[in-house]
Amino acid sequence: LWFAAQPGIMKINQDQRTATYYNPPALENRTMRQIVEDKLGNLWIGAQSVGLFKWDAAKGAVDFNKGIRKIKNVPQQQVNKIIIDSKGLVWVAFGLEGCYAIDPVTEKVIYRFNDQLAQPFKLPEEGVSSILEYNDSMMVITTSTQILLFNKRSNKSSLVGTAETISGYITDLRKDKNGYVWLTSTSGLYRINIEKNVFVRFTKEAGIDNENFVV
């Protein structure tokens, strides 16, 4: 298991019951918000305020510190979310400048979304709170208050719901085994049928102790 820490990162070996802490100089002694492992064994690490880092498994095999470096062709700001999709692309959500999908081998930007681009890559707001791969063709991208569906096969995008559908600011989302998308906001928990555009909200009245979720 890999944990993002404040600062640095931590590796947990469950078999050996050991923990190893890393805070290499390249991470600038900053808080790390997100950490994922790609299909090649490399780590992608998102910082609180200074952008995205990559740990190369081959270069850091002997000396961990030598594998770390900053990715320069993306915004140097807060990372809210990182996921690896079924094709192996690294999707990164930034707090102010949209989101990017990166080829983990070439580090080339394959997709880019923000509020300044034309369709289908235009976002309704500048920041992205979370990203979800709904299926092998559909990506779900959330801004502060809205949900965008992007179809990688047809290269088309559309909004789900409206700004009034969700109360508060969107913080994260997951998909369950039945195909429902569960979305959290600063004012509750939502179960969404993406295909039928149906939203069900759960609050304290439904038994949730604290309905104020954070990124």
Side-chain angles (χ1 to χ4, degrees), residues 5-199:
Q6 186 179 19
I9 60 176
M10 184 173 290
K11 179 176 68 176
I12 308 297
N13 187 314
Q14 297 183 91
D15 291 332
Q16 299 178 7
R17 300 179 66 84
T18 59
T20 307
Y21 175 71
Y22 301 100
N23 189 19
L27 294 182
E28 304 176 23
N29 201 41
R30 299 299 185 96
T31 297
M32 299 296 123
R33 296 179 60 93
Q34 294 278 309
I35 181 168
V36 298
E37 182 178 348
D38 67 23
K39 294 186 176 183
L40 303 174
N42 305 314
L43 298 178
W44 296 81
I45 309 163
Q48 166 71 21
S49 58
V50 292
L52 179 69
F53 297 84
K54 178 184 178 181
W55 177 75
D56 188 298
K59 295 179 179 178
V62 177
D63 184 345
F64 185 91
N65 290 3
K66 291 183 178 180
I68 289 276
R69 61 185 175 81
K70 181 177 282 190
I71 301 298
K72 300 289 183 66
N73 59 339
V74 297
Q76 306 301 299
Q77 58 175 250
Q78 178 171 306
V79 174
N80 284 336
K81 188 77 173 183
I82 308 175
I83 67 167
I84 310 296
D85 72 12
S86 57
K87 303 297 183 183
L89 292 181
V90 182
W91 290 76
V92 187
F94 291 93
L96 289 176
E97 295 187 41
C99 71
Y100 290 66
I102 304 167
D103 184 309
V105 178
T106 64
E107 299 177 9
K108 179 182 177 181
V109 174
I110 306 301
Y111 297 109
R112 179 188 174 197
F113 299 80
N114 66 36
D115 61 340
Q116 303 298 316
L117 296 174
Q119 294 293 350
F121 307 108
K122 182 177 179 61
L123 295 176
E125 297 168 301
E126 63 180 353
V128 171
S129 57
S130 193
I131 311 170
L132 169 73
E133 183 178 36
Y134 183 74
N135 54 37
D136 59 359
S137 62
M138 192 75 70
M139 302 298 298
V140 184
I141 302 170
T142 58
T143 62
S144 294
T145 63
Q146 299 198 51
I147 305 169
L148 180 81
L149 295 184
F150 173 67
N151 191 309
K152 293 182 284 185
R153 291 182 179 176
S154 65
N155 217 36
K156 294 181 179 180
S157 62
S158 60
L159 292 176
V160 176
T162 66
E164 291 75 33
T165 304
I166 298 169
S167 178
Y169 296 101
I170 299 170
T171 57
D172 206 357
L173 67 167
R174 294 284 193 277
K175 178 186 174 184
D176 69 19
K177 63 181 180 180
N178 295 315
Y180 289 111
V181 172
W182 292 84
L183 179 147
T184 56
S185 81
T186 55
S187 297
L189 172 69
Y190 294 80
R191 188 187 69 188
I192 306 169
N193 185 320
I194 287 291
E195 297 176 1
K196 295 183 178 180
N197 201 10
V198 175
F199 289 68

